[in-house]
Amino acid sequence: MKINWSAYDTFEANFKPLVVVELAKDTKDETKEWLTKKIVEKKKNGGAQLLVKPLVEDGRDIEGSKNIYLVGASHLRLLLGAEAVGLVKECNDNTMRAFTYTTRKNFKNFADDNHDFLTMAECQYIIKHELENLRAKDETMIPGYPQAKLYPGKSIMRRLMTNGILIQVFPLHDTDELKKLRHTWYERLKISYQPLDEIRCYFGETIAFYFAFLEYITFALIPMAIIGIPYYIFDWEDYDKYVLFAGFNLIWSTVILELWKRCCAIMAYRWGTLLMKRQFEEPRPGFHGVLGVNPVTGREEPVYSSFKRQLRIYLVSLPFVCLCLYLSLYVMMIYFDLEYHAHLYHEENQSDLSSLLLYVPSIIYAIVIEVLNRIYRYAAEFLTSWENHRLESSYQNHLVLKVLVFNFLNCFASLFYIAFVLFDMKLLRQSLATLLITSQVLNQFVEALLPYWLQKRRNKRVKKKVKALEKDADLSLYEQVNLEKGMDTYLGTFDDYLELFLQFGYVSLFSCVYPLAAVFAVLNNVTEMYSDALKMCRIFKRPFAEPTANIGVWQLAFQTMTVIAVATNCVLIGMSPQVNALFPESKVELVLIVVLAEHLALALKFLMSYVIADKPRDIQIKLARLEFESLEALKQQEMKLSAESMKEQTA
């Protein structure tokens, strides 16, 4: 049943600020008045029907506070918004169903006076959705800015953002809830599971799934670490144990990813995102083109030729990526020259200093790899944006592909060269250990320690300014908003997943040569949980919740890595002295056996992927039952309409 928004009074006297909107300092008054009017206007008139007020209401302009607005919504408006965005909540019969206002009494813990039925993250997601769907009706431009053209159906917030009028929109922290979450999450040094449900309620499903995957992969690495410690200590080099470790690596890397799919399904069903229907995806803010009509929605929106986009991809982006890959290989050869000179120096001097110098080229190369990865990331973002993809999902897929290809070659090319060209297992072990440990230390410093120190300095400056202001008014909210608007913006889980992806590659590709790789990965991930939790709570602005049912394209990336790991481990087994000793005369036979073993291992991998279901049986039954009930309800509705039609005809 379609909601008639005008039938509801969504005014609420107790205003709770949920989202902050910051405009440019030179924004004209007529623009502010027009925007605030659009935000509070009723839905039938093209507004968002939300609540809005300036940060400082007494007429004072404290440090540009007149350009900062707080947005909230009444409890009723949020419930109606929950239905509009398709939130799924738990019913009294323990099933998960899409929330509707007319059937609100059927949902668990619902009460008219229970304002905690929707989490704060869900409320902020609803407000973000409504703000993004503020669309022009009859306006041809933004008042006060003739150059900022509008047309029917154009997103107002996106036009404000692209014209530099809107600086940022971000959700406010709930200081009390954040304090509770910090205490249970990372302030207590104890071995325990992460509070994933609390993380999901506060930050949303996307962040919760990242921390769930980080925790899962850490526990999954423990068996590899346990087996790797005695293997490394006692230097088990005989054929049987070498094959055993590599074989376990193959099975382990496949099974853990298949079981993760099941864990994803369980969490997504419990959190309601497994059943959320994906809405028609809107054009991304940076998309531009000639004004046209979308053939699916009928809305006016920019249109850009896909042929032009393909030309940009294949004639500019692809050659640039190839050039960067060549540069990465060139840097790798410089590294090997440094290794060669370091070994010559050590052979001539045979001192403690010369022994330490053997590790210097690997350390320098590891630092250079991190620097090149970060520089390339900016270039890849610029190129992908320049390609002018219409959808955010298409933009992300092209960006992930560019970054993964470069990072994979940049991080692993030297290891493949050492293993399969130089055949130097000792150097391979040394390089792998240095790359793994150095990259982990650098990431911890760059991602957490340095930003935390910078943020503490910013906080001191803001608090000093607040203390210098008049003390006759309550400025706690003013202080909170100014503290948070100066924080860095969290750009998503891309870099976090990329770090785990590269770590997974080090472990799955070459851990049979350096068994302690899993041990260092576990130690890093334990500290990563605390440092990532710290940066989410203390360093970055609170991100908007984004409903999701899995880790997205990263599942495919990790599965691709396992396929490469199968080939790598099979070749490493074939290169071992013990296996070579079995074929002293004919190496062709050895190659054929290695290829056969690789094909059998891949067949076993895909067989396990097929046998292990992505969703547990009970969830499959629940989903099938909901689909059956939906079909039955549709039949009943059609029969009712048919009966009414026949009655009208006979009358």
Side-chain angles (χ1 to χ4, degrees):
M1 179 180 177
K2 190 175 181 180
I3 300 173
N4 182 11
W5 290 89
S6 60
Y8 297 98
D9 178 16
T10 55
F11 173 76
E12 187 166 285
N14 297 323
F15 178 85
K16 180 180 180 180
L18 294 172
V19 172
V20 176
V21 175
E22 182 182 6
L23 303 176
K25 290 184 178 180
D26 58 350
T27 303
K28 297 177 181 178
D29 291 337
E30 58 181 311
T31 308
K32 298 178 189 176
E33 183 180 352
W34 171 76
L35 178 60
T36 53
K37 183 180 178 181
K38 293 290 288 186
I39 293 174
V40 301
E41 191 74 61
K42 290 186 176 181
K43 292 281 286 186
K44 66 177 183 178
N45 297 328
Q49 209 162 336
L50 300 173
L51 307 176
V52 62
K53 72 173 186 178
L55 176 59
V56 179
E57 295 186 286
D58 57 7
R60 294 179 298 169
D61 185 13
I62 306 175
E63 294 288 331
S65 58
K66 282 186 176 180
N67 298 307
I68 300 177
Y69 292 87
L70 306 175
V71 182
S74 67
H75 180 54
L76 174 58
R77 177 67 181 85
L78 291 171
L79 293 176
L80 296 174
E83 179 175 349
V85 300
L87 288 185
V88 175
K89 306 292 284 185
E90 186 177 7
C91 295
N92 293 322
D93 59 358
N94 297 323
T95 60
M96 304 296 295
R97 298 177 187 275
F99 177 81
T100 59
Y101 186 74
T102 53
T103 61
R104 59 192 181 279
K105 300 293 184 182
N106 297 332
F107 290 87
K108 187 173 288 187
N109 299 325
F110 180 85
D112 290 327
D113 58 348
N114 179 19
H115 289 205
D116 295 327
F117 175 71
L118 298 175
T119 66
M120 189 174 181
E122 290 172 337
C123 295
Q124 290 168 333
Y125 170 69
I126 292 167
I127 290 180
K128 172 177 175 281
H129 176 269
E130 296 298 339
L131 289 176
E132 288 181 344
N133 280 275
L134 273 176
R135 299 187 178 277
K137 294 190 73 177
D138 302 324
E139 302 93 339
T140 58
M141 66 175 188
I142 294 176
Y145 297 88
Q147 75 281 5
K149 302 297 184 182
L150 290 174
Y151 48 84
K154 173 63 181 175
S155 172
I156 291 173
M157 302 301 283
R158 291 179 182 179
R159 176 59 75 203
L160 290 170
M161 183 73 75
T162 54
N163 281 270
I165 303 169
L166 176 63
I167 302 299
Q168 60 179 337
V169 179
F170 64 91
L172 269 176
H173 275 294
D174 185 323
T175 52
D176 294 333
E177 290 298 321
L178 181 61
K179 188 176 181 180
K180 293 177 185 176
L181 179 60
R182 290 206 312 257
H183 180 68
T184 58
W185 195 1
Y186 69 88
E187 289 183 345
R188 295 183 300 172
L189 292 176
K190 58 180 291 188
I191 299 176
S192 62
Y193 292 106
Q194 295 182 103
L196 295 177
D197 288 331
E198 288 81 356
I199 296 171
R200 174 253 169 181
C201 289
Y202 194 84
F203 287 109
E205 289 79 15
T206 299
I207 305 297
F209 267 117
Y210 163 69
F211 281 100
F213 184 70
L214 174 59
E215 181 178 88
Y216 176 85
I217 204 72
T218 303
F219 279 103
L221 283 166
I222 291 176
M224 289 286 290
I226 292 174
I227 295 175
I229 291 174
Y231 179 89
Y232 183 82
I233 293 175
F234 299 110
D235 198 19
W236 293 352
E237 292 292 347
D238 63 272
Y239 167 73
D240 294 332
K241 295 181 175 60
Y242 191 86
V243 173
L244 177 65
F245 192 85
F248 178 79
N249 193 342
L250 296 177
I251 298 173
W252 168 84
S253 60
T254 300
V255 170
I256 62 167
L257 291 179
E258 293 303 318
L259 293 180
W260 166 249
K261 291 181 184 178
R262 296 171 66 87
C263 293
C264 263
I266 293 171
M267 287 186 291
Y269 182 82
R270 188 172 74 245
W271 294 340
T273 55
L274 194 62
L275 299 171
M276 283 189 71
K277 294 182 179 179
R278 186 177 180 85
Q279 297 179 331
F280 181 77
E281 196 169 353
E282 297 288 336
R284 53 186 298 270
F287 177 66
H288 58 85
V290 180
L291 186 63
V293 178
N294 188 299
V296 178
T297 62
R299 294 174 179 165
E300 284 190 293
E301 65 177 43
V303 176
Y304 188 78
S305 169
S306 60
F307 178 71
K308 291 182 180 179
R309 184 181 302 112
Q310 296 300 320
L311 286 179
R312 290 187 174 192
I313 292 173
Y314 290 109
L315 297 184
V316 179
S317 296
L318 183 59
F320 177 79
V321 172
C322 292
L323 179 64
C324 291
L325 295 179
Y326 173 78
L327 176 63
S328 175
L329 293 176
Y330 184 77
V331 172
M332 180 189 74
M333 299 313 297
I334 295 175
Y335 155 67
F336 284 120
D337 286 339
L338 293 176
E339 281 283 358
Y340 174 74
H341 290 299
H343 278 278
L344 283 181
Y345 182 82
H346 177 64
E347 290 175 2
E348 293 175 358
N349 293 273
Q350 293 293 330
S351 63
D352 293 336
L353 177 61
S354 64
S355 298
L356 291 174
L357 285 176
L358 290 176
Y359 292 92
V360 172
S362 296
I363 294 174
I364 294 174
Y365 185 51
I367 296 173
V368 170
I369 283 176
E370 291 298 319
V371 173
L372 288 178
N373 284 345
R374 295 183 184 278
I375 294 175
Y376 177 81
R377 168 70 185 276
Y378 292 115
E381 287 178 346
F382 173 80
L383 269 181
T384 311
S385 179
W386 178 74
E387 290 167 3
N388 198 26
H389 295 278
R390 178 184 176 275
L391 302 180
E392 184 66 27
S393 58
S394 177
Y395 170 85
Q396 289 295 333
N397 289 339
H398 280 80
L399 177 61
V400 168
L401 180 61
K402 288 185 183 72
V403 174
L404 283 187
V405 168
F406 181 82
N407 277 260
F408 182 85
L409 185 72
N410 202 27
C411 294
F412 298 114
S414 62
L415 301 179
F416 280 104
Y417 186 83
I418 294 170
F420 305 128
V421 178
L422 300 180
F423 305 109
D424 190 340
M425 295 300 119
K426 184 177 180 181
L427 179 58
L428 177 62
R429 177 179 294 188
Q430 173 189 316
S431 299
L432 176 60
T434 307
L435 288 174
L436 178 63
I437 296 171
T438 305
S439 64
Q440 290 177 347
V441 172
L442 286 176
N443 282 325
Q444 292 286 0
F445 176 76
V446 173
E447 291 183 3
L449 296 179
L450 180 61
Y452 179 69
W453 177 72
L454 293 174
Q455 186 57 43
K456 285 194 72 173
R457 292 186 62 186
R458 284 196 292 263
N459 290 351
K460 287 181 180 178
R461 289 198 297 268
V462 172
K463 290 180 179 179
K464 188 176 181 180
K465 288 181 181 178
V466 172
K467 287 181 180 178
L469 298 174
E470 300 177 19
K471 298 182 180 180
D472 58 345
D474 182 12
L475 296 176
S476 58
L477 181 60
Y478 169 83
E479 179 179 345
Q480 180 189 351
V481 171
N482 277 274
L483 283 173
E484 293 184 24
K485 81 180 183 70
M487 290 179 172
D488 293 330
T489 301
Y490 183 66
L491 299 177
T493 55
F494 185 96
D495 289 327
D496 298 313
Y497 278 120
L498 179 61
E499 183 181 347
L500 287 178
F501 173 78
L502 296 177
Q503 180 196 90
F504 183 77
Y506 286 128
V507 174
S508 60
L509 294 177
F510 300 106
S511 62
C512 61
V513 175
Y514 185 63
L516 288 185
V519 177
F520 285 111
V522 170
L523 294 175
N524 173 78
N525 289 356
V526 171
T527 58
E528 187 82 13
M529 290 182 196
Y530 286 97
S531 62
D532 284 351
L534 175 69
K535 74 181 184 184
M536 292 304 304
C537 296
R538 302 289 294 272
I539 298 174
F540 292 109
K541 293 185 187 75
R542 183 179 186 175
F544 279 105
E546 289 293 338
T548 184
N550 47 52
I551 62 175
V553 69
W554 290 103
Q555 180 76 35
L556 178 61
F558 278 86
Q559 288 176 327
T560 304
M561 182 67 81
T562 61
V563 174
I564 301 173
V566 168
T568 303
N569 281 273
C570 287
V571 175
L572 287 174
I573 291 173
M575 289 171 51
S576 65
Q578 294 80 9
V579 175
N580 274 266
L582 298 176
F583 304 92
E585 298 179 357
S586 175
K587 297 302 178 185
V588 175
E589 187 178 352
L590 172 60
V591 172
L592 291 176
I593 290 177
V594 169
V595 172
L596 177 62
E598 181 257 346
H599 280 64
L600 291 175
L602 283 175
L604 177 62
K605 168 185 166 49
F606 291 120
L607 179 63
M608 286 189 295
S609 301
Y610 177 77
V611 171
I612 302 174
D614 292 351
K615 300 181 183 68
R617 179 65 178 167
D618 60 330
I619 291 182
Q620 292 180 22
I621 293 173
K622 290 176 181 177
L623 294 176
R625 185 183 299 139
L626 285 174
E627 185 177 358
F628 172 76
E629 290 176 358
S630 298
L631 290 174
E632 287 297 308
L634 184 61
K635 288 180 183 178
Q636 294 293 332
Q637 186 177 2
E638 290 177 350
M639 290 174 62
K640 183 179 178 181
L641 291 174
S642 178
E644 291 177 354
S645 177
M646 290 179 64
K647 186 182 294 185
E648 290 177 358
Q649 290 177 2
T650 54

